[in-house]
Amino acid sequence: MFKRLDNIVEKYEELTKMLSDPEVLNDFNKVKELSKEQSDLEETVNVYREYKKTNNDIAEAKEMLNDPEMKEMAELELQELEEKLPKLYSELEKLLVPKDEFDDKNIIMEIRGAAGGDEANIFAGDLFRMYSYYAEHNGWNIEVTHQLEGTSGGFSQIECMIKGKGVYSKLKYESGSHRVQRIPVTETQGRVHTSTATVLVMPEVDDVNIEIKESDLKIDVYHSSGAGGQSVNTSNSAVRITHVPTGIIVTCQTERSQLKNKDRAMKMLRVKMYDEQLRKQEAETATRRSKVGTGDRSEKIRTYNYPQNRVTDHRINFSIMELDRVMNGYLEPIIEALINEDMRLKLAGENLND
């Protein structure tokens, strides 16, 4: 780790020197490029310098302990410095983790009822409410783009966009199969049932080069359903687009205008096609977008056990006995644990390759 940090400082100083070169200063594009590169390293360099200074200050404070007149002051200073050092170390670890290019992106989330019939659909609805509460806690906006309600409540399928700062960085770990263990409302003999719902999280990407031929699209329009004001079921404003070669289907019914729904649907189609492209590339190279879980819908990632009020994330063997709070959007402890484990794995992976 410290070898990497020394290399970063060396690179930073080299860039500083280059940016003072008159020849470089005459080239605007070069200055812009080097300044961006230097700016990306600056925070890491500053924290590392502070870490080294703190280490030196600790050594000096320990020497001062031998001076009777300075001992009391040195002890106070030493305590403060020794509390500061591990915090700086932890910050350096985080700064060294390769940043996910999508972390600042908004997301498209798709939740489906899977195994368990009506109970699976009800659970899909519970998951949607959980994520809605979590989005609200974080000051994010959530917009439903398509929904198919279950016959006994919940949703057989619901898609939404979640917009805000760092949405993907927090919710990228949620893709996979979520399992619930509880007594369904329809159960007459008090038996605990197991049902599942799947979650898919995709980053919203605007600047990707995905070629979509008009001839490959099948576009259907139909009446909107669900909440939507007076226009619901009065005009063919909802849009369903099928990309025939891949079989990818997107639907949007949030806008009253058919044209706006089509624009949104095309945007979602690009996102889904790009996500599919990434998954194929990752499968071919045996890589994962996140080292914590594959993000594959079939991967069982979490169990929500109602009788024991427990939520367990199987990828990191993490449990919290506060399921009631989790379902009300208290996801932070689970997500923090996932982020920390992902960071640890990525650091370990990089260290092994150094």
Side-chain angles (χ1 to χ4, degrees):
M1 173 173 157
F2 293 110
K3 182 183 176 183
R4 289 179 63 202
L5 287 164
D6 287 333
N7 289 338
I8 288 169
V9 171
E10 188 179 330
K11 180 64 176 176
Y12 181 84
E13 290 172 348
E14 181 187 330
L15 289 166
T16 303
K17 188 177 179 181
M18 289 172 71
L19 284 165
S20 64
D21 185 332
E23 198 172 309
V24 173
L25 290 171
N26 288 329
D27 185 340
F28 175 77
N29 290 330
K30 191 67 176 175
V31 169
K32 187 178 177 182
E33 178 190 333
L34 294 176
S35 296
K36 170 70 169 62
E37 194 176 350
Q38 187 191 49
S39 177
D40 290 343
L41 301 177
E42 191 166 18
E43 186 180 1
T44 304
V45 169
N46 288 339
V47 175
Y48 185 40
R49 284 172 175 169
E50 181 67 16
Y51 178 86
K52 290 172 78 173
K53 182 180 180 301
T54 303
N55 248 331
N56 291 334
D57 290 346
I58 286 172
E60 290 176 7
K62 285 180 177 178
E63 286 183 15
M64 287 167 60
L65 290 173
N66 298 321
D67 186 338
E69 292 183 5
M70 304 292 288
K71 185 177 180 181
E72 188 176 343
M73 184 178 75
E75 285 175 345
L76 290 171
E77 186 179 352
L78 190 61
Q79 183 182 349
E80 185 180 321
L81 291 167
E82 287 181 338
E83 287 175 1
K84 181 181 178 182
L85 195 67
K87 292 176 184 176
L88 289 169
Y89 185 90
S90 177
E91 195 173 343
L92 284 171
E93 281 190 317
K94 289 178 182 177
L95 287 167
L96 284 176
V97 172
K99 287 184 172 56
D100 190 322
E101 61 181 307
F102 301 120
D103 273 353
D104 292 327
K105 299 288 187 183
N106 301 322
I107 67 163
I108 290 174
M109 176 180 278
E110 179 185 287
I111 306 172
R112 294 173 180 261
D118 288 342
E119 171 64 4
N121 294 339
I122 292 169
F123 179 49
D126 293 339
L127 289 176
F128 173 70
R129 279 188 292 276
M130 177 185 78
Y131 291 123
S132 298
Y133 289 138
Y134 184 64
E136 186 181 330
H137 296 335
N138 283 278
W140 301 334
N141 293 320
I142 185 164
E143 300 173 13
V144 175
T145 54
H146 175 60
Q147 64 184 54
L148 291 173
E149 295 181 1
T151 54
S152 299
F155 304 98
S156 61
Q157 179 184 352
I158 183 164
E159 292 185 13
C160 62
M161 297 184 74
I162 305 180
K163 301 179 177 181
K165 185 177 180 181
V167 175
Y168 187 74
S169 69
K170 294 289 187 76
L171 293 179
K172 63 184 174 183
Y173 306 102
E174 296 304 298
S175 289
S177 177
H178 296 240
R179 181 174 71 173
V180 64
Q181 294 175 325
R182 64 184 177 189
I183 302 170
V185 290
T186 53
E187 169 59 46
T188 56
Q189 297 180 29
R191 293 174 299 186
V192 173
H193 288 226
T194 298
S195 303
T196 59
T198 60
V199 176
L200 180 62
V201 173
M202 297 164 285
E204 183 185 22
V205 283
D206 299 314
D207 52 350
V208 292
N209 186 22
I210 299 289
E211 184 184 355
I212 300 177
K213 296 178 183 176
E214 196 72 30
S215 58
D216 288 339
L217 301 178
K218 180 176 181 290
I219 301 175
D220 300 303
V221 294
Y222 58 97
H223 288 176
S224 298
S225 61
Q230 294 180 355
S231 67
V232 173
N233 294 324
T234 62
S235 65
N236 289 333
S237 61
V239 175
R240 182 191 301 109
I241 300 177
T242 304
H243 185 251
V244 178
T246 61
I248 295 173
I249 300 172
V250 293
T251 308
C252 188
Q253 59 180 45
T254 55
E255 304 287 347
R256 296 191 179 195
S257 158
Q258 185 185 120
L259 185 61
K260 287 182 179 178
N261 278 328
K262 183 183 176 184
D263 286 344
R264 277 200 175 212
M266 284 300 296
K267 189 173 186 178
M268 289 191 290
L269 178 61
R270 288 184 184 280
V271 169
K272 288 195 174 186
M273 288 181 69
Y274 182 66
D275 185 74
E276 188 66 24
Q277 192 178 91
L278 278 181
R279 287 172 189 276
K280 285 180 180 177
Q281 288 173 0
E282 288 164 1
E284 287 170 5
T285 58
T287 61
R288 294 178 176 188
R289 190 173 313 165
S290 166
K291 287 181 181 288
V292 177
T294 62
D296 191 314
R297 277 198 215 187
S298 63
E299 181 188 10
K300 183 183 74 178
I301 65 168
R302 196 174 296 151
T303 295
Y304 303 74
N305 186 301
Y306 276 72
Q308 297 177 19
N309 197 38
R310 185 188 75 235
V311 181
T312 299
D313 196 288
H314 303 289
R315 295 164 294 180
I316 55 174
N317 197 25
F318 176 88
S319 292
I320 182 170
M321 309 300 287
E322 297 182 273
L323 180 143
D324 50 345
R325 295 188 67 198
V326 168
M327 298 312 291
N328 282 317
Y330 182 62
L331 273 169
E332 206 60 46
I334 300 172
I335 288 172
E336 278 298 315
L338 286 162
I339 289 172
N340 289 336
E341 177 63 7
D342 196 22
M343 183 179 72
R344 186 190 70 78
L345 289 171
K346 284 176 178 175
L347 274 171
E350 287 221 354
N351 289 338
L352 286 172
N353 293 331
D354 282 349

